[in-house]
Amino acid sequence: MKTLLASLTVVALLGAFQVSNCFAGAWTANKGGFYEKASFNFYYADKNFDRDGNRRDLSDRGKFTDYNLSNYFEYGLIDSLTVLNSISYKWLENDNDLSRATAHGIGDIDFGARYRLFQSDAVGVISTQLLVKVPGGYDRNDPLPMGNDQYDTELRLLYGRSLYPKLPGYANLEIGYRLRAGDPSDELRYLVEIGFDLGKNFFTRAKLDGIYSINNGSKVDGSGNPTTTNNFDLGKLDLTLGYQVTPAMGVELGYRPDLYGQNTAAGANYSVALYFKTP
């Protein structure tokens, strides 16, 4: 709990000086509007969070890496309904003193829809989102699988509010429940986000993105991938700095360290992205 409170404080302090002007959680795109973000990501971990939440070295001096190319897309069917999709191609490696395993291919794929329930200048935006995760082209029995090879269904409630005219930014809160088929535990998911414009073209944002395991899944984790265990908690701090090159295009740099958790890898992700949107 102390770690969670400290992390929320970090987000709040960062938000006092920084964060973004592009698409944010609770808002929906206008009819025919779109947002597409292509990114290259590098994740590295040589430690894990044990069952007590302490950081420990991976066994046998292990190192896990995940290089991936990802694409995220949103499109406004009508002003109040946005559909979305996310897909990635991964190159994984798990290396230690006793063995080395590699894998590459399409990871899990997300399909979703966000529906705006309410919007006003005084209150902000309230939306709900349905997401379905489909396993990619891999097998759960691979030496280094890219996921749990099962379907997830998530329902999420989102609240967003502009901070204008007092501050040039926005705030966003999300809470959701993810129902997971097969052995993995169901999950409570939460997100706290704040973003600001930094002058005419620069923007920045910070997110605390969290997963809390319901612990109703199988306790046996036989995967060679330390990020796809069955029952885990995880909190990540996602920091982004962006530059809007034109009204329809921009670039982003991201850093996302794993702050706290249980029974999963403890590493950090670095990313560079190019996005396109409706001007």
Side-chain angles (χ1 to χ4, degrees), residues 155-186:
L155 185 62
R156 185 174 289 225
L157 184 67
L158 310 90
Y159 171 72
R161 182 164 184 176
S162 171
L163 302 180
Y164 287 91
K166 294 183 178 179
L167 292 171
Y170 69 90
N172 185 68
L173 301 173
E174 302 179 15
I175 188 74
Y177 189 90
R178 178 166 291 207
L179 181 67
R180 311 188 75 198
D183 294 333
S185 167
D186 294 347

Side-chain angles (χ1 to χ4, degrees), residues 169-212:
Y170 69 90
N172 185 68
L173 301 173
E174 302 179 15
I175 188 74
Y177 189 90
R178 178 166 291 207
L179 181 67
R180 311 188 75 198
D183 294 333
S185 167
D186 294 347
E187 297 168 347
L188 180 68
R189 297 210 165 199
Y190 55 92
L191 184 143
V192 180
E193 176 181 1
I194 189 165
F196 288 95
D197 294 337
L198 299 176
K200 183 178 180 181
N201 297 104
F202 284 96
F203 60 89
T204 182
R205 63 178 175 266
K207 301 179 186 180
L208 176 64
D209 191 356
I211 299 172
Y212 179 78

Side-chain angles (χ1 to χ4, degrees), residues 22-276:
C22 16
F23 279 47
W27 284 266
T28 54
N30 293 329
K31 181 179 179 180
F34 74 93
Y35 174 82
E36 184 163 20
K37 177 179 173 181
S39 59
F40 173 75
N41 302 277
F42 168 62
Y43 177 82
Y44 174 85
D46 60 5
K47 298 183 183 297
N48 74 297
F49 295 111
D50 64 17
R51 66 179 59 186
D52 297 316
N54 300 312
R55 291 178 184 264
R56 305 290 185 191
D57 291 337
L58 291 176
S59 60
D60 303 308
R61 295 193 295 180
K63 298 177 182 178
F64 175 78
T65 58
D66 177 353
Y67 295 87
N68 68 80
L69 292 171
S70 299
N71 190 77
Y72 177 82
F73 181 73
E74 291 191 356
Y75 180 78
L77 290 180
I78 56 176
D79 289 350
S80 60
L81 180 62
T82 295
V83 293
L84 58 95
N85 168 251
S86 179
I87 188 171
S88 63
Y89 193 95
K90 295 173 171 285
W91 291 266
L92 306 182
E93 180 179 40
N94 195 358
D95 189 17
N96 59 48
D97 289 342
L98 301 180
S99 63
R100 177 177 176 268
T102 62
H104 63 88
I106 297 175
D108 295 332
I109 305 168
D110 289 338
F111 298 95
R114 183 183 311 121
Y115 182 72
R116 188 178 68 220
L117 300 171
F118 176 84
Q119 182 173 7
S120 75
D121 292 339
V123 176
V125 180
I126 300 174
S127 299
T128 186
Q129 179 174 290
L130 178 65
L131 187 75
V132 176
K133 190 210 77 179
V134 178
Y138 62 88
D139 189 282
R140 68 183 303 176
N141 296 317
D142 291 342
L144 187 54
M146 282 167 281
N148 293 103
D149 194 25
Q150 40 81 60
Y151 290 82
D152 295 350
T153 303
E154 178 185 295
L155 185 62
R156 185 174 289 225
L157 184 67
L158 310 90
Y159 171 72
R161 182 164 184 176
S162 171
L163 302 180
Y164 287 91
K166 294 183 178 179
L167 292 171
Y170 69 90
N172 185 68
L173 301 173
E174 302 179 15
I175 188 74
Y177 189 90
R178 178 166 291 207
L179 181 67
R180 311 188 75 198
D183 294 333
S185 167
D186 294 347
E187 297 168 347
L188 180 68
R189 297 210 165 199
Y190 55 92
L191 184 143
V192 180
E193 176 181 1
I194 189 165
F196 288 95
D197 294 337
L198 299 176
K200 183 178 180 181
N201 297 104
F202 284 96
F203 60 89
T204 182
R205 63 178 175 266
K207 301 179 186 180
L208 176 64
D209 191 356
I211 299 172
Y212 179 78
S213 174
I214 304 301
N215 288 322
N216 61 348
S218 168
K219 303 295 184 181
V220 179
D221 289 316
S223 170
N225 186 336
T227 66
T228 61
T229 52
N230 285 342
N231 295 268
F232 70 93
D233 301 338
L234 182 61
K236 302 171 286 188
L237 182 62
D238 192 338
L239 304 175
T240 299
L241 176 65
Y243 179 76
Q244 186 168 313
V245 180
T246 72
M249 182 185 75
V251 294
E252 293 183 354
L253 297 176
Y255 172 58
R256 193 187 69 217
D258 297 333
L259 295 185
Y260 55 88
Q262 292 179 314
N263 192 34
T264 190
N269 187 82
Y270 307 84
S271 69
V272 57
L274 181 65
Y275 70 83
F276 304 89

